[in-house]
Amino acid sequence: MAKLAIKPLDDRVVIQQIEAEEKTAGGIVLPDTAKEKPQRGRVLAVGPGKLLDNGERAPIGVVEGDEVLFGKYSGSEIKVDGEEIKILRESDILAKIVK
């Protein structure tokens, strides 16, 4: 994806969803109707952090390029330059995938 034309605010993170597997572990090919929405994605952009009462920003625990897992119904899906992306709060991210 080219340079992203949006910048998230506060503790929001922009995610590009990584498509679900086409096959099961046993090798069965799944049709499009049986696939679930992916709950895994790559971080494209990160906001500056949540503004705290003391005027400072809380650091965000992910950076651009990280792969993450997030809740099934979390965030908002939008289209930017013909690609579907998801914007969600840092608290909706369940885990960072460590390779």
Side-chain angles (χ1 to χ4, degrees):
M1 183 173 194
K3 183 73 175 150
L4 198 58
I6 59 174
K7 178 74 176 155
L9 301 175
D10 293 328
D11 63 338
R12 289 180 180 84
V13 178
V14 178
I15 305 283
Q16 179 181 32
Q17 292 177 289
I18 297 173
E19 287 303 313
E21 293 294 320
E22 303 271 329
K23 292 182 182 178
T24 65
I28 298 171
V29 177
L30 296 172
D32 288 340
T33 54
K35 289 184 205 169
E36 289 192 18
K37 278 283 202 187
Q39 292 174 260
R40 183 175 179 163
R42 184 168 292 109
V43 176
L44 298 178
V46 177
K50 186 175 183 174
L51 189 61
L52 302 173
D53 292 337
N54 64 5
E56 294 180 18
R57 297 254 178 205
I60 293 188
V62 295
V63 295
E64 290 180 27
D66 281 348
E67 277 192 31
V68 295
L69 299 174
F70 50 87
K72 187 181 262 188
Y73 301 107
S74 59
S76 301
E77 289 183 4
I78 62 169
K79 274 196 172 195
V80 175
D81 297 331
E83 276 197 66
E84 276 193 23
I85 60 172
K86 193 176 249 313
I87 299 177
L88 44 95
R89 291 192 178 275
E90 180 190 23
S91 59
D92 291 333
I93 295 174
L94 306 174
K96 184 163 48 170
I97 297 170
V98 180
K99 293 182 178 182

